Amino acid sequence: MRVPFLNRPATVAVLRLQGAIGVAIRGGPALSDAALAPLLERAFKRRKPVAVALALNSPGGSPVQSSLIGARIRRLAEEYDIPVHAFVEDVAASGGYWLASAADFIWADDSSLLGSIGVISSGFGFAELIQRHGIERRVHTAGRSKSMLDPFRPETPEDIERVNRLLGPIHDAFKEQVRARRGARLPSDRDLFTGEIWTGREAVELGLADGIAHMVPKMRELYGKEVRFLTYGQRVPWFRRFGLSADDFIDSIEERAAFARFGAGRG
């Protein structure tokens, strides 16, 4: 006979991290430190879980928000002495992999995509287009670098130099994070920081993941067949439950484009 509260099954807290990483600018949900902080706090504190499982599906996004979220996960894991398992679904790329690396163990599906350990800055140039149509661009700044990478004027060597100066330290921080978290599991004779992506099986062979596994069977294997799952997720604002607004449509397009970069489009 099971004695209530004394012999109950172990609990695994499940936190779903899905979508692009960044601060919501149109009121919708986003993977940001501010949005996830209360969920993470509850996941680690409530019912004293034996583990926290991250259901992860993200093409990346803001390097700062990736760092903040990852650091919060580590602080809570160490404060409460609870192991963290990341289960990669379709993709954990760029900032998505940064979040995965915050876990103690990374599990993936054979067809999951992991990696893209790099930094990107992209945009468009319309200088020739507006010239061709007789449009004059007028910009006045206080500070000669204020209009850096203005898409309506030709790109200059100085612009490129400034961008590379910004991208380099961010990339270094990403590499430092992965090396610190994966340690000796990474090969010493392979450069994994080129922005390349790998399938789940390849990621395991390269030390970027620990094995091929799905959440429920793996957690039951590790913590008992009767383990219970307590899921935490971001709430959808009530006014968004009644239809798709123009802002929702834009958000959806942007997120689909981010996933599509890795061949992991969402239906």
Side-chain angles (χ1 to χ4, degrees):
M1 181 179 70
R2 187 182 301 279
V3 180
F5 307 112
L6 296 179
N7 195 26
R8 65 186 182 187
T11 297
V12 170
V14 179
L15 184 63
R16 176 160 291 279
L17 303 179
Q18 177 158 319
I21 302 166
V23 178
I25 59 175
R26 285 183 282 268
L31 293 183
S32 68
D33 183 57
L36 293 174
L39 297 177
L40 284 166
E41 294 285 342
R42 289 200 294 272
F44 279 92
K45 293 179 180 179
R46 190 179 177 193
R47 297 190 184 180
K48 298 181 179 180
V50 293
V52 170
L54 308 176
L56 182 57
N57 192 16
S58 175
S62 164
V64 174
Q65 293 301 316
S66 301
S67 177
L68 291 172
I69 297 167
R72 185 178 296 275
I73 291 171
R74 290 316 313 155
R75 286 197 304 272
L76 291 168
E78 292 167 9
E79 179 180 353
Y80 294 98
D81 193 24
I82 295 175
V84 180
H85 298 259
F87 289 87
V88 180
E89 296 181 350
D90 295 281
V91 58
S94 194
Y97 186 76
W98 188 308
L99 298 188
S101 70
D104 298 290
F105 304 96
I106 301 175
W107 312 99
D109 183 86
D110 275 306
S111 299
S112 299
L113 298 178
L114 295 85
S116 189
I117 304 171
V119 185
I120 185 173
S121 173
S122 61
F124 296 93
F126 301 101
E128 293 185 9
L129 176 65
I130 64 174
Q131 289 176 6
R132 195 158 52 240
H133 290 274
I135 300 172
E136 181 183 0
R137 174 69 165 163
R138 297 174 179 175
V139 178
H140 307 279
T141 68
R144 63 187 180 88
S145 298
K146 190 63 178 178
S147 63
M148 180 182 74
L149 293 180
D150 183 333
F152 296 101
R153 68 176 180 80
E155 189 174 53
T156 67
E158 290 77 11
D159 286 341
I160 298 173
E161 181 181 353
R162 292 188 190 104
V163 170
N164 288 334
R165 178 172 53 82
L166 297 175
L167 296 183
I170 298 174
H171 193 203
D172 289 341
F174 198 169
K175 292 188 285 186
E176 183 178 340
Q177 163 72 11
V178 175
R179 290 189 181 114
R181 295 299 305 147
R182 301 302 296 174
R185 288 174 282 194
L186 301 177
S188 59
D189 60 346
R190 180 77 178 267
D191 183 4
L192 302 179
F193 308 122
T194 63
E196 186 176 353
I197 58 174
W198 296 274
T199 62
R201 185 69 62 180
E202 292 173 317
V204 173
E205 294 172 356
L206 292 170
L208 294 172
D210 296 288
I212 302 299
H214 295 168
M215 182 186 294
V216 172
K218 190 63 182 181
M219 293 294 91
R220 286 176 174 168
E221 174 192 333
L222 293 174
Y223 301 107
K225 294 182 179 180
E226 295 185 358
V227 68
R228 293 179 178 177
F229 298 89
L230 190 58
T231 303
Y232 300 85
Q234 291 180 267
R235 293 182 179 179
V236 178
W238 67 268
F239 57 85
R240 291 177 179 265
R241 300 174 187 173
F242 299 98
L244 186 68
S245 69
D247 286 344
D248 292 320
F249 183 68
I250 294 172
D251 287 337
S252 177
I253 291 176
E254 290 175 346
E255 188 167 275
R256 284 172 183 268
F259 275 100
R261 287 182 53 226
F262 304 100
R266 297 172 57 202

